[in-house]
Amino acid sequence: MEFRDLKKQYAVMKEEIDLAVAEVISSANFISGTQVRKLEEQLAEYVGVKYCITCANGTDAISLALRIWGVGEGDAVFVPDFTFFSSGECPAFARATPIFVDVDDRTYNMDPDRLERAVCKVKAEGKYNAKAIIAVDLFGLPADYDRIQSICKKYDLLLLEDGAQGFGGSIRGRKACSFGDISTTSFFPAKPLGCYGDGGAIFTDREDWAELLRSYCVHGKAGNDKYNNIRIGVNSRLDTIQAAVLLPKLKAFREYELDCVNQVASWYTSSLKNGDLILPEIVSEYSSSWAQYTVQLPKYANRSAVQARLKAAGIPSMVYYNRPMHMQGAFAGTDSAKADCPVTDYICGRVLSLPMHPYLSEEEVWKVSRNLKKALIEE
């Protein structure tokens, strides 16, 4: 059993993907080929924004967004404490100070009440300029944007939606990657929509920001003139081959993968309910793209032992995440390390992610569930 079965996905789409890649190779247009712009247009239409700018990876996408806003030294950027490192790494790389905020213990996304308290504290202390919020759509579920957007408006903060795991999720039909002033995603292979390497995208409704982002992505070029560099940029482009891979994968994602992965999640929930596990919670009017199906183990369970028993049964599992952001070594001795995040501290020791992808069968889900329950009984 695969944790995320990219081999099965390729087998299903082999003919379309092989043809798309062969077209790029035969044309030898490996950089900025027509497939890149076609993909950007389809992504923007799917998400429901005016502009999509692809780039080399999801981390670059966040860094480029912060660069557009001039985020830098003396600025505070509010980031959930329970997330992947790049969410906090990018503002720190820009020489801003990440302020880590605790999360909700059922959705795993940023807690708006704790966010507002953190913003008020930074403003009262006056050491940093409260500049922006990076809200993460963790495990496929959009963050509480009703509350977070109101906090941004109240305190004059910019909102960056990190939709690397949330692509395909929605709130009342509105798609993830449309809620931020700028939103970003990643096409890392294991993401809900992944390519066969690294890749990322940035979404916005502002034309001026879109033009700047396109310039920054290609060495600060002026429009289509790559030899007139009017600003200091970076080299962050999505390869044409990756765009070609993503086009048929986006079609499959829209037509059936998203529905399939929600079916898999419902099988897990049915087979694991009425036990000691805390299961993922999907808020009313929200939908998830299920980047992960993550449970919380009971207090009595030894997570390493449970994982070992699952592995012995041929079932892979992963821990996302075992260390809070504020305890990462890179932030040791900084103000970022002073975060008070008891929920994150607790769930980092209890979460366990199970195999999750659109091609899991009901029989496989029940096998995972039976063996997980058995592993807990043996504790």
Side-chain angles (χ1 to χ4, degrees):
M1 185 181 298
E2 299 283 339
F3 186 78
R4 194 164 188 93
D5 201 341
L6 299 178
K7 297 174 185 176
K8 177 66 178 292
Q9 184 191 51
Y10 173 62
V12 171
M13 287 188 267
K14 183 178 188 304
E15 185 176 349
E16 294 170 274
I17 291 174
D18 286 357
L19 178 61
V21 172
E23 287 177 353
V24 176
I25 295 172
S26 63
S27 71
N29 197 353
F30 300 111
I31 302 296
S32 302
T34 57
Q35 292 89 340
V36 175
R37 186 52 61 93
K38 183 178 180 181
L39 176 67
E40 290 176 341
E41 291 171 353
Q42 291 188 15
L43 289 169
E45 183 272 330
Y46 177 73
V47 167
V49 299
K50 292 180 180 178
Y51 306 102
C52 171
I53 302 91
T54 54
C55 59
N57 55 69
T59 302
D60 277 3
I62 297 172
S63 291
L64 286 161
L66 297 177
R67 189 168 188 172
I68 289 293
W69 294 337
V71 172
E73 190 168 1
D75 291 330
V77 178
F78 301 89
V79 180
D81 198 39
F82 188 67
T83 185
F84 182 64
F85 186 64
S86 63
S87 304
E89 175 186 29
C90 293
F93 188 76
R95 304 185 65 83
T97 299
I99 303 295
F100 295 117
V101 178
D102 214 352
V103 298
D104 182 275
D105 64 349
R106 301 303 292 272
T107 68
Y108 305 113
N109 283 327
M110 184 183 281
D111 183 328
D113 291 329
R114 292 180 178 272
L115 170 62
E116 185 163 20
R117 288 200 291 272
V119 172
C120 290
K121 181 179 179 183
V122 166
K123 285 183 168 290
E125 290 175 348
K127 184 176 180 179
Y128 300 110
N129 170 45
K131 181 83 171 186
I133 295 168
I134 297 179
V136 179
D137 303 333
L138 204 68
F139 300 154
L141 184 69
D144 186 351
Y145 288 109
D146 290 340
R147 294 282 311 282
I148 293 173
Q149 286 175 331
S150 68
I151 291 169
C152 287
K153 184 176 181 180
K154 183 177 179 179
Y155 297 102
D156 193 24
L157 299 169
L158 292 159
L159 175 58
L160 194 158
E161 177 188 1
D162 178 356
Q165 296 183 32
F167 189 86
S170 63
I171 305 174
R172 294 183 292 276
R174 181 176 173 182
K175 294 293 187 183
C177 294
S178 71
F179 295 101
D181 297 304
I182 294 178
S183 302
T184 64
T185 197
S186 166
F187 301 126
F188 184 80
K191 293 296 190 286
L193 178 64
C195 59
Y196 290 161
D198 274 318
I202 312 162
F203 301 88
T204 185
D205 282 325
R206 284 193 45 170
E207 183 178 8
D208 56 338
W209 287 352
E211 290 178 356
L212 274 173
L213 286 164
R214 292 195 186 282
S215 174
Y216 278 129
C217 282
V218 189
H219 303 287
K221 70 174 184 175
N224 294 321
D225 186 352
K226 66 179 181 179
Y227 296 116
N228 182 15
N229 307 98
I230 58 176
R231 55 183 61 88
I232 302 299
V234 296
N235 180 19
S236 186
R237 297 169 294 198
L238 182 70
D239 289 344
T240 308
I241 284 180
Q242 300 301 342
V245 168
L246 283 165
L247 283 166
K249 292 184 78 171
L250 176 60
K251 182 175 183 289
F253 184 80
R254 299 179 70 161
E255 291 184 354
Y256 62 86
E257 283 194 342
L258 193 57
D259 289 338
C260 288
V261 81
N262 273 275
Q263 177 63 74
V264 171
S266 71
W267 289 333
Y268 267 128
T269 300
S270 295
S271 61
L272 292 172
K273 66 182 180 182
N274 302 322
D276 293 336
L277 297 165
I278 296 178
L279 305 183
E281 182 175 294
I282 304 301
V283 182
S284 176
E285 299 185 299
Y286 282 57
S287 69
S288 176
S289 57
W290 295 103
Q292 309 295 342
Y293 191 94
T294 299
V295 301
Q296 288 181 49
L297 301 179
K299 291 181 180 180
Y300 63 77
N302 181 309
R303 185 168 61 191
S304 295
V306 169
Q307 286 191 277
R309 292 180 186 120
L310 290 174
K311 184 178 181 180
I315 298 169
S317 62
M318 300 288 288
V319 176
Y320 301 107
Y321 299 96
N322 65 355
R323 185 184 295 271
M325 290 289 287
H326 77 273
M327 292 181 65
Q328 298 289 332
F331 298 118
T334 71
D335 285 348
S336 299
K338 299 175 182 177
D340 178 23
C341 299
V343 172
T344 299
D345 289 336
Y346 176 76
I347 62 178
C348 278
R350 305 254 53 92
V351 290
L352 183 67
S353 296
L354 306 176
M356 188 61 177
H357 56 82
Y359 302 94
L360 271 173
S361 68
E362 187 172 9
E363 181 181 354
E364 288 174 314
V365 170
W366 282 91
K367 177 184 177 180
V368 174
S369 300
R370 285 194 305 271
N371 280 275
L372 178 55
K373 290 176 180 178
K374 181 181 178 184
L376 291 173
I377 291 171
E378 293 173 357
E379 280 295 298

